[in-house]
Amino acid sequence: MTAEIIDGKGFAAKVTDRVADHVSRLKTDHGVTPGLAVVLVGEDPASQVYVSSKGKRTKESGMASFEHRLDAAASEMDLLNLIERLNGDPAVHGILVQLPLPGHLDDAKVINAIAPEKDVDGFHVSNVGLLGTGQKSMVPCTPLGCLMMLRERHGSLSGLDAVVIGRSNIVGKPMAQLLLGDSCTVTVAHSRTKDLPEVVRRADIVVAAVGRPEIVPGGWIKEGATVIDVGINRVDAGGGKTRLVGDVEFDGARRRAGAITPVPGGVGPMTIACLLANTVTACCRINGLPEPEGLAV
Ligand code: NAD
């Protein structure tokens, strides 16, 4: 068997097109322009790249982008004051604080200061609770993108055995909640799981979110399973070069799986597309307008 490659890049382009269509309709029919504010504290080079690219993509889809860069030494009060101002700003429908924050700032306190309806990352404790109790919430972007790709491939996920490897608050746990919401039988595996090969072998759906290069050998994958590889790992490619690999050994898994996301070009592009989707969804909910089809759960 040779797995179908799930084209995350192509799928993300379709989601982004749908977002742009809806943004244009919101502008012409309702005079509303969705706006996303991204807050960066400090000069971490990777975070700077992410923030610039989020701003660029936001503008490309017709939305307003607001960038706030604070000095690495900014106080908690400076940051909380900024968030309070953005919470009350009617031009801002989504607020994202780029993580990780410098060590002297408390991530949880800062995230929980964001108005839940503007929390487009879905990390606020209210959104976590709403998702956990099966209510309408803002859903974290990476798991939302994974769910969209799974629904596209399977239609109904009801009754399928799913394993999520990794239990982080940003990927593993919300992914497990979403799969449960779609009536999968869900196992969450993690660093203390006793027999990971056995857990993976019985899964119809494998979502790997560990951050260890090729920790899942292809031979573990059940014939015909769908593999969603969230991991992004930079490894030595020889000759002083590096390359990106996922958490799943791609070539081996491809020979057994029914479908698999590549790294790069799989989950990554869907994450930013879902950030744009969440911003439009937040804008519609805040303004009491109908939400676009298929961009939220
Ligand atoms: P994290 O470090 O917060 O969590 C990793 C999880 O893996 C932990 O829950 C841990 O229990 C589990 N784990 C560690 N070692 C394990 C082992 N040997 N066996 C089984 N489980 C083990 O990481 P995260 O933030 O959830 O990210 C995971 C990966 O996904 C990283 O590579 C990250 O770069 C990537 N990521 C990608 C995107 C994207 O858009 N594509 C978004 C977020 C994260």
Side-chain angles (χ1 to χ4, degrees):
M1 171 165 240
T2 301
E4 180 196 321
I5 306 296
I6 300 175
D7 178 13
K9 209 172 160 187
F11 197 124
K14 283 188 206 152
V15 171
T16 309
D17 283 350
R18 252 186 290 157
V19 167
D21 274 357
H22 206 77
V23 168
S24 138
R25 242 173 295 144
L26 283 171
K27 285 180 177 175
T28 48
D29 297 353
H30 303 283
V32 175
T33 302
L36 173 65
V38 179
V39 179
L40 173 64
V41 186
E43 281 92 38
D44 176 66
S47 293
Q48 290 194 10
V49 172
Y50 295 142
V51 166
S52 302
S53 116
K54 284 168 188 170
K56 183 167 168 269
R57 296 289 302 280
T58 303
K59 283 184 235 159
E60 281 169 2
S61 62
M63 298 192 273
S65 162
F66 308 98
E67 246 178 66
H68 296 271
R69 291 177 186 247
L70 269 59
D71 192 82
S75 70
E76 189 172 273
M77 195 47 75
D78 290 337
L79 185 52
L80 293 177
N81 284 339
L82 171 61
I83 291 173
E84 200 181 322
R85 195 151 53 75
L86 297 172
N87 283 342
D89 184 342
V92 172
H93 305 96
I95 303 170
L96 180 154
V97 176
Q98 185 66 45
L99 300 177
L101 289 169
H104 66 286
L105 298 169
D106 178 347
D107 288 14
K109 190 170 178 187
V110 170
I111 296 304
N112 290 327
I114 298 173
E117 67 276 16
K118 295 191 178 187
D119 167 38
V120 282
D121 256 340
F123 298 160
H124 190 291
V125 70
S126 295
N127 282 315
V128 176
L130 289 168
L131 178 63
T133 49
Q135 301 179 70
K136 200 177 252 197
S137 65
M138 296 307 301
V139 174
C141 304
T142 300
L144 177 58
C146 296
L147 185 74
M148 283 183 187
M149 291 191 284
L150 286 167
R151 282 182 175 174
E152 167 88 357
R153 168 150 183 87
H154 288 270
S156 167
L157 305 181
S158 181
L160 295 177
D161 279 316
V163 59
V164 179
I165 316 173
R167 56 173 160 180
S168 72
N169 290 336
I170 64 165
V171 188
K173 284 183 200 155
M175 187 73 243
Q177 294 287 5
L178 288 170
L179 291 166
L180 204 51
D182 271 23
S183 301
C184 290
T185 302
V186 183
T187 304
V188 182
H190 48 77
S191 53
R192 303 293 176 89
T193 295
K194 275 197 199 131
D195 192 349
L196 188 58
E198 188 46 39
V199 172
V200 173
R201 272 191 196 109
R202 56 169 194 260
D204 304 306
I205 291 171
V206 178
V207 180
V210 180
R212 304 262 171 113
E214 300 177 334
I215 190 175
V216 178
W220 292 4
I221 303 295
K222 178 176 170 179
E223 287 279 342
T226 301
V227 178
I228 305 289
D229 194 348
V230 183
I232 303 174
N233 309 288
R234 194 165 284 283
V235 296
D236 188 1
K241 295 195 173 141
T242 60
R243 68 189 173 95
L244 292 181
V245 299
D247 289 344
V248 180
E249 182 229 338
F250 184 80
D251 290 339
R254 203 185 165 185
R255 287 194 286 276
R256 300 179 62 81
I260 184 167
T261 56
V263 177
V267 175
M270 282 300 284
T271 295
I272 184 136
C274 286
L275 172 65
L276 304 176
N278 275 351
T279 305
V280 174
T281 300
C283 176
C284 292
R285 289 181 186 170
I286 288 167
N287 287 289
L289 297 169
E291 291 175 31
E293 292 275 311
L295 293 183
V297 288

